[in-house]
Amino acid sequence: MRKYVIIGAQGSGKGTQSLLLAQDLDLVHISVGDIFRWHVQNHTKLGAKVRRTMAAGELVGDDVVEAAVRDRLELHDWNYGFIVDGFPRNVRQAEFFLETYDIDGVIHLDLPDDEVRRRVLARRLCSGCGLDYNLIAHRPKQEGRCDACGGELVSREDDTEEALAGRLRTYHEKTDPVLDLFRRKEFVVTVDARHDIPAIQHEIRTRLGLPMPSGT
Ligand code: AMP
């Protein structure tokens, strides 16, 4: 059983690296942001509760987030373990998490703020199938259209300059102390997130003593 947390600023590649780890290690990828986006898209009660907060780039209340994480983990569909992405984001959430679960490692993707801005403002999402694009690294073949389903590519509602500035401020104010806490209690692996995707994946696996994916 492997239980990891992945922490990094917006655009540091948490989702991409988590999926690469999850695929062949059979880990369940739990992204709190994805859970909330699903609720917003499907107009659930929870979606209505978190929509404005998310669009403003602010943190959703701890009780709501903790309930979402607890409900997700209580499904117990993670026979081989999990990788939690986007949680904990402040010290209270970290303490809640540490009381309930023991973690094998914390992966910290380190990215300077100017690179965060460059990447996030270039990020696009297919409004049809949800596939991620990036106008720097992963451009669609036809401008503004999804290669897979032809859907329209849009920016995430919280990927504006204004919301991003708020999210970055919150990240440093609230999430930097989480890393300090984990450094004291847990095993934190800090990886330079400016490198390319395979190099970062390689570094994470080496540092955590994990097998490399087959074919590499
Ligand atoms: P993300 O996709 O991780 O950037 O999350 C998108 C948004 O969901 C954040 O800007 C917050 O509004 C909300 N959110 C996600 N995870 C958390 C969390 N751990 N605590 C509070 N709000 C969160």
Side-chain angles (χ1 to χ4, degrees):
M1 177 84 71
R2 295 173 169 128
K3 291 181 247 158
Y4 300 114
V5 166
I6 190 160
I7 295 185
Q10 296 72 27
S12 58
K14 296 186 299 278
T16 307
Q17 296 298 334
S18 302
L19 287 174
L20 288 172
L21 285 169
Q23 263 165 19
D24 70 311
L25 298 169
D26 279 326
L27 307 180
V28 173
H29 174 219
I30 298 173
S31 157
V32 179
D34 283 352
I35 293 174
F36 287 157
R37 274 185 288 280
W38 184 91
H39 281 276
V40 170
Q41 240 160 20
N42 290 283
H43 305 283
T44 68
K45 237 174 162 177
L46 176 59
K49 212 188 248 182
V50 300
R51 185 173 177 270
R52 275 165 179 262
T53 313
M54 285 181 76
E58 288 160 14
L59 290 186
V60 170
D62 290 331
D63 291 340
V64 174
V65 177
E66 285 166 13
V69 172
R70 199 181 307 115
D71 289 351
R72 181 62 192 83
L73 286 170
E74 274 176 5
L75 292 180
H76 281 280
D77 56 344
W78 35 278
N79 294 335
Y80 297 97
F82 57 72
I83 178 155
V84 177
D85 161 357
F87 180 91
R89 285 251 238 291
N90 62 29
V91 168
R92 176 179 143 175
Q93 293 178 7
E95 282 167 348
F96 156 84
F97 198 53
L98 288 172
E99 274 165 24
T100 324
Y101 300 95
D102 34 273
I103 310 165
D104 298 302
V106 176
I107 302 158
H108 169 216
L109 297 180
D110 193 19
L111 195 67
D113 288 358
D114 53 353
E115 183 61 13
V116 168
R117 273 186 217 100
R118 195 175 83 92
R119 286 191 189 181
V120 168
L121 297 177
R123 192 150 73 172
R124 296 291 181 277
L125 199 68
C126 173
S127 55
C129 67
L131 203 67
D132 279 318
Y133 289 82
N134 189 294
L135 303 185
I136 307 166
H138 178 202
R139 297 186 71 87
K141 289 195 188 82
Q142 189 194 338
E143 203 181 312
R145 290 278 152 209
C146 176
D147 294 345
C149 76
E152 188 192 355
L153 299 188
V154 294
S155 292
R156 256 169 61 169
E157 208 175 358
D158 55 352
D159 279 351
T160 62
E161 285 225 38
E162 203 189 349
L164 177 62
R167 284 154 79 205
L168 263 175
R169 208 174 324 114
T170 306
Y171 179 76
H172 290 301
E173 269 173 33
K174 307 258 169 80
T175 312
D176 284 352
V178 171
L179 277 168
D180 293 337
L181 179 78
F182 278 137
R183 279 195 192 100
R184 287 198 297 274
K185 299 197 179 214
E186 299 287 325
F187 179 36
V188 178
V189 162
T190 295
V191 176
D192 187 341
R194 287 172 301 183
H195 296 143
D196 64 22
I197 293 169
I200 296 171
Q201 182 68 196
H202 189 274
E203 170 91 6
I204 293 172
R205 287 181 186 239
T206 306
R207 303 270 302 278
L208 289 174
L210 293 170
M212 294 297 156
S214 48
T216 60

